[in-house]
Amino acid sequence: MAVPIAVLDCDLLLYGRGHRTLDRFKLEDVTDEYLVSTYGFPRQFIYYLVDLLGATLSRPTQRSRAISPETQILAALGFYTSGSFQTRMGDAIGISQASMSRCVANVTEALVERASQFIHFPEDEATVQSLKDDFYGLAGMPGVLGVVDCTHVAIKAPNAEDLSYVNRKGLHSLNCLMVCDSRGVLLSAETHWPGSLPDCTVLEQAALTSQFETELHKDGWLLGDSSFLLRTWLMTPLHIPETPAEYRYNMAHSATHNIIERTFRTIRSRFRCLDGSKGTLQYSPEKSSHIILACCVLHNISLEHGLDVWSSPATGHMEQPEEEYEQMESVDSEACRIRQELLLTHFS
């Protein structure tokens, strides 16, 4: 005798007919402590995301029983902050693991669409000057518009171009180029670079370089470590400091540049899907890149809402591969002149 089998249609659950939704989980029924421990964020932050993304996540179709934007956002936050599609996470909001996965994809794309709204350099003169003043207050380094570095995020081995994603540690990863301000707010995030590319090559090919060389701020610079080449808009440390001024410059540079490392640790701590403790991101490089960028957007939104940037340190397994730095002598005489002038004017 044939036994009828019911097949669950995830699209039916997600999009539904006429915006009728399944009310599986009510934010008002649980405490803020529960929301923070389970989803990583308090109630008001989640409400803000519902307002921000709700219209995008409520896509009318000819089907019924859609998953609400609120539930989709909770599912995505649960994944971003825990790093897994655990059955208990889906059970808590009343959806299957398959629906969890689809919710994460929808919320990720909605956040990526808004990346430029939340991740960008300031444009008005007053805000740019405030940015410089805040950096100067850290360690006395003038003219700083941001600190730049790369960090690796582990991904599964892709089906194609496999070797291009293998980093120095023999792991598959994306090499992500980011810039932050003195509070850890991200000003730029390029999350799609293959892990085999060294940091200097990523910067050479990045939109960030084109942006600074063609249009941005001629009266300031970024700070980068020794993996990058000195440029007129990018100040790097001196390889072998000899004078007191050079030592003071290097110390101020290091103390200021450390902000980006703290920011990386904070992002990994808050978004455990990126820290490697639950394994690699089980997606294509493109989808993994979007998940990383979505987490970057959430990181900036959380700072806008006053959530502490310097949270507990991450304990993930995926660390940035050690770069074997080769001292790269700048062929840009103007960049060398600018750094020398900086040394004489501010550190002598």
Side-chain angles (χ1 to χ4, degrees):
M1 176 179 178
V3 179
I5 300 176
V7 178
L8 181 63
D9 187 334
C10 293
D11 284 335
L12 179 149
L13 284 174
L14 278 170
Y15 304 128
R17 180 185 297 118
H19 293 278
R20 286 181 291 174
T21 63
L22 293 176
D23 296 322
R24 299 175 173 79
F25 184 93
K26 296 286 189 181
L27 280 176
E28 57 269 22
D29 292 341
V30 296
T31 65
D32 251 13
E33 290 76 12
Y34 172 80
L35 291 172
V36 171
S37 65
T38 307
Y39 304 102
F41 294 96
R43 187 186 325 276
Q44 289 307 314
F45 182 87
I46 297 170
Y47 281 143
Y48 172 83
L49 292 181
V50 172
D51 289 340
L52 178 70
L53 307 178
T56 302
L57 298 175
S58 300
R59 299 169 181 168
T61 74
Q62 298 306 308
R63 299 177 178 182
S64 61
R65 295 170 60 79
I67 295 180
S68 68
E70 182 178 288
T71 300
Q72 292 186 60
I73 288 167
L74 287 172
L77 292 179
F79 169 71
Y80 297 148
T81 58
S82 73
S84 68
F85 290 117
Q86 294 178 0
T87 301
R88 66 174 181 81
M89 184 69 69
D91 289 346
I93 52 179
I95 62 176
S96 68
Q97 285 186 315
S99 293
M100 277 277 295
S101 180
R102 193 69 65 88
C103 290
V104 170
N106 289 345
V107 175
T108 295
E109 292 311 306
L111 287 168
V112 167
E113 287 173 5
R114 291 161 177 78
S116 62
Q117 176 182 345
F118 294 100
I119 303 176
H120 57 81
F121 284 90
E123 296 181 354
D124 64 281
E125 290 185 12
T127 308
V128 170
Q129 187 58 51
S130 177
L131 184 65
K132 295 179 183 178
D133 292 344
D134 289 343
F135 273 120
Y136 186 79
L138 293 176
M141 181 68 77
V144 180
L145 300 167
V147 288
V148 59
D149 208 348
C150 290
T151 188
H152 286 252
V153 176
I155 64 172
K156 74 172 183 178
N159 294 326
E161 298 183 81
D162 184 63
L163 293 180
S164 68
Y165 291 92
V166 178
N167 62 39
R168 287 181 179 270
K169 290 190 173 182
L171 303 173
H172 292 84
S173 68
L174 291 168
N175 196 2
C176 305
L177 178 74
M178 301 187 193
V179 180
C180 75
D181 70 8
S182 63
R183 297 192 302 120
V185 175
L186 295 174
L187 306 175
S188 177
E190 298 184 35
T191 60
H192 62 283
W193 297 102
S196 66
L197 293 180
D199 295 358
C200 60
T201 303
V202 168
L203 183 62
E204 282 179 13
Q205 300 178 10
L208 178 69
T209 293
S210 175
Q211 191 177 22
F212 264 81
E213 291 187 344
T214 60
E215 60 189 66
L216 268 184
H217 315 300
K218 304 300 181 182
D219 56 345
W221 39 73
L222 303 178
L223 297 187
D225 64 20
S226 298
S227 63
F228 300 119
L229 188 67
L230 179 71
R231 301 170 184 261
T232 57
W233 50 269
L234 178 65
M235 293 293 103
T236 59
L238 290 144
H239 180 49
I240 304 177
E242 296 177 347
T243 68
E246 290 175 347
Y247 276 102
R248 284 192 288 269
Y249 167 85
N250 271 13
M251 289 178 65
H253 188 292
S254 177
T256 308
H257 187 266
N258 185 54
I259 294 295
I260 190 71
E261 298 300 333
R262 296 174 67 188
T263 300
F264 288 157
R265 290 195 297 269
T266 296
I267 292 172
R268 291 180 185 279
S269 177
R270 178 167 281 157
F271 304 106
R272 302 301 295 272
C273 68
L274 307 182
D275 77 353
S277 62
K278 300 294 185 180
T280 62
L281 285 174
Q282 296 297 301
Y283 299 93
S284 68
E286 180 182 9
K287 289 184 178 180
S288 295
S289 170
H290 285 186
I291 287 172
I292 300 166
L293 185 55
C295 290
C296 290
V297 173
L298 288 172
H299 168 78
N300 275 11
I301 296 175
S302 71
L303 295 187
E304 283 190 5
H305 283 73
L307 301 181
D308 185 18
V309 59
W310 310 128
S311 58
S312 57
T315 57
H317 301 162
M318 182 59 182
E319 298 295 335
Q320 179 174 349
E322 292 292 331
E323 294 281 358
E324 297 176 5
Y325 296 144
E326 296 180 7
Q327 182 57 21
M328 297 180 290
E329 296 296 333
S330 177
V331 296
D332 189 336
S333 60
E334 179 64 11
C336 293
R337 184 196 66 77
I338 289 174
R339 185 169 66 179
Q340 188 61 30
E341 183 177 317
L342 182 59
L343 281 163
L344 294 173
T345 304
H346 293 278
F347 297 98
S348 295

